[in-house]
Amino acid sequence: MPFDDSTRGRLQTFVGDARDLLAKEFAWQLQQTYGMDPASGEVAEIERLGHLDDQRLETARILREILGHYLGATTSPSVQDRRHALDRIVREQAFTVLNRLAALRLMEARGILLQSVAHGYQSTAFQLYQRVAGSALGETGDAYRVFLFSLFDLFSGDLPALFDRHSPFGRLFPREAKFLELLDLLNAPDLEPLWGEDETIGWIYQYFNSAEERRRMRKVSGAPRNSRELAVRNQFFTPRYVVEFLVDNALARQWIDMSAGRSALLDQCRFLVRRPDEVFLARASEEKGSSVASIARALIDKDFCQLPDFDNSETGTQAMVDFAHCVDPYHRFPDQSEIWGEYFPRLQPILHDQRFSEVTTQELWDGLFLECRFDRAGGSGNVTGQPWFRAACEEILRRLKEPKAKTALNRYRPLRDPRTLKLLDPACGSMHFGLYAFDLFLHIYRDAWAWEEASWPGADHRAPDAPPGLKPLHDLYPDEDAFLRNLPRMILEHNIYGVDIDPRAAQIASLALWLRAQRAWHDMGVRREVRPVVGRGNVVAAVAPPAEADLRRDLTAGMDNLDAELFERTLLLLKGLPELGVLLRAEREVPALVRRVFGSHGDLFRQEDETQWRKAEARLRTALAEFAHSTAASYRNRLFAEDALEGLRLIDLVGETFDAVVMNPPFGALSQGVKEDLSKAYPRSKNDLLAIFVERGLETLRRGGRVGAITSRTGFFLTSYQKWREDVVLGIARPEVIADLGHGVMDDAMVEAAAYVLEKQA
């Protein structure tokens, strides 16, 4: 069903009511049950909670450790600091419970999960569960809570960011009366059709933070004061048509060019900008020294005077042969016809329409061919002096000069194994771009499987930076069924990446992609029990590095001195991560850290630094895992280790090279905490976050890759953006398509928007 204003309004009401219910419930629990008052910031000593049973006393202890972790960077926390930290705990518990229950409803609608939430205590799966459990789990409400926890545990392997019950985000659960109210909201009849829609989870993400909250933030400060304000103030859902426009012209265009126009995506992508009479160059036309390329360009660019000399020299003879191939590649060299035929499939009808004034196509071919044979045999003569040749060329020139749109020549791109194609959304939110990209990758992989099977000429199944152990798909999977069974898993593991500074995004984006993979398996007829485990995927939350000095000392005490120094310097590098995200140029900073700690490696420093970093990173990961899970470890140890590991994941992610970057990035004033650092790092783009994100997106691309973005349109005409336009948009990149969209595109964002795609040149 369409997400029109009425539908979105109803969903917004539901999300607001559920959020308020959960926030009030968890604030009450913190104060009344666990002795932690969000209103006053007061926290009672745990010894004063002797009235609690062991289970809730353990929860009280863990909540205090979470609070201590959030306040770790503050040496002497004030009352205000504690209030903010306790508000954060309430907010995190509220959105996690809502997201978990919404996820179960989405699974039910897709046939992944037997009815468990839709009818509360009367749900089919719970009725079966209760028959087995009997009275062992207590009253119905208690049994239902245990049942839900078992579902959370079941899905935590695939979706740890959302369902891990031991994470700091999911320590509380509403009391039975409040939970029943929540179920009533969740199962309202008019919401029922929405649970089957892919966009629903994105709108839940959008509406958890209210428009009123954004207005209050902007009233207090012109620029975001912290990472939370930066996330909330720039959270705007991207309409589906904009998503398709950007992904079609960034990702799909890459694959279409690589396949020389053979992919079905050329016709299936409804927002792909098709150039009039566009043609696709194949590999040979770009090879060094090939006169076919120059002849072809002369014809297509209507610059006939640039044709080479056709004389009886060796060069001239070859030029005649190459010209003949351009005119008609099929008649004389069938063994090469597939390769030659890829040059100009749209140009052939112009040359073959049998309407030449003085000579037919066949006569042109035969004349060229006979002249070439005569010249090679040592004869004399100049084909350019023949009347038929002049007449043919004049007719070709006349037709190419006819008023019409200029033919577009698409640069040749080597066909690559789809597992090496990478797409990044650096401000991913609910992963709306990634969901549509998933659809395209399904087509891309199927193309690759078919072409690999047919050994399509020109196919290059290895990217220059592909992992050395990458086997062809047909070597990896014995048949098409096995290939299709693993296809959704490959897309999530190899192709789609996302980063966000909002921790909710890690929950929502991972869930959205996982649900899309499940739907793909369902459509293929792959049974639930034989579906591969997806794994964690490539969604990273840009969380603050752990700040507890005592835990750092405990961890590094057992390390080698150099590893300990590298770890400390890495934490310092990640200090501004919650406000920077991918804008942190970690891939540039890490080599410098390695050289500073382990010494320089001369001319080969880049390769040597990377190797040294990988080895040291593996040791750090091992040390952090042991630190978190040793018998003497506290809950704070685990929180410390998980935040550090997430920082390492982000360093690994920004070290990747991408083929497409698509985004709806933050825009406006720079966050106060990192304004100075960003202004120094991005002097060409420093006046607006949108400009910085575009520049950073281009940096992460390989040459020829594309950035697709929807932003404010002001960057394209205000004088304050002149340096960005000249040095970035027209310097690093080349604009390919742009849509001036105007007002009202991004929900309630008061901005005139533009959607555009830039191709990286330098």
Side-chain angles (χ1 to χ4, degrees), residues 366-386:
D366 289 341
L368 283 170
F369 184 72
L370 290 172
E371 280 294 332
C372 290
R373 286 204 319 178
F374 176 72
D375 287 340
R376 285 184 184 278
S380 60
N382 188 338
V383 71
T384 57
Q386 300 294 330

Side-chain angles (χ1 to χ4, degrees), residues 15-36:
V15 174
D17 291 345
R19 178 197 62 223
D20 293 344
L21 185 153
L22 288 167
K24 291 176 182 177
E25 166 65 7
F26 292 145
W28 184 93
Q29 285 190 26
L30 283 183
Q31 181 188 40
Q32 299 297 323
T33 304
Y34 300 110
M36 307 170 76

Side-chain angles (χ1 to χ4, degrees), residues 587-596 598-613:
E587 78 282 3
R588 298 186 183 186
E589 301 294 337
V590 164
L593 292 184
V594 171
R595 289 195 299 276
R596 195 172 297 136
F598 295 102
S600 178
H601 300 285
D603 293 337
L604 298 177
F605 75 92
R606 290 186 179 177
Q607 181 178 352
E608 293 292 336
D609 288 345
E610 183 175 353
T611 301
Q612 190 75 270
W613 167 255

Side-chain angles (χ1 to χ4, degrees), residues 213-236 501 578-580 583 665-676 678 686-690 693:
E213 184 179 16
R214 283 196 288 272
R215 284 192 288 269
R216 286 199 304 268
M217 288 178 176
R218 293 190 178 103
K219 185 175 181 180
V220 172
S221 173
R225 294 171 295 173
N226 50 52
S227 61
R228 169 164 162 71
E229 285 198 5
L230 180 61
V232 171
R233 291 164 65 144
N234 287 279
Q235 183 181 305
F236 299 109
I501 62 174
E579 293 171 85
L580 294 174
L583 301 183
F667 54 86
L670 310 187
S671 182
Q672 294 177 2
V674 293
K675 181 177 181 179
E676 183 176 351
L678 283 177
K686 63 184 179 181
N687 53 309
D688 196 295
L689 270 174
L690 76 86
F693 264 89

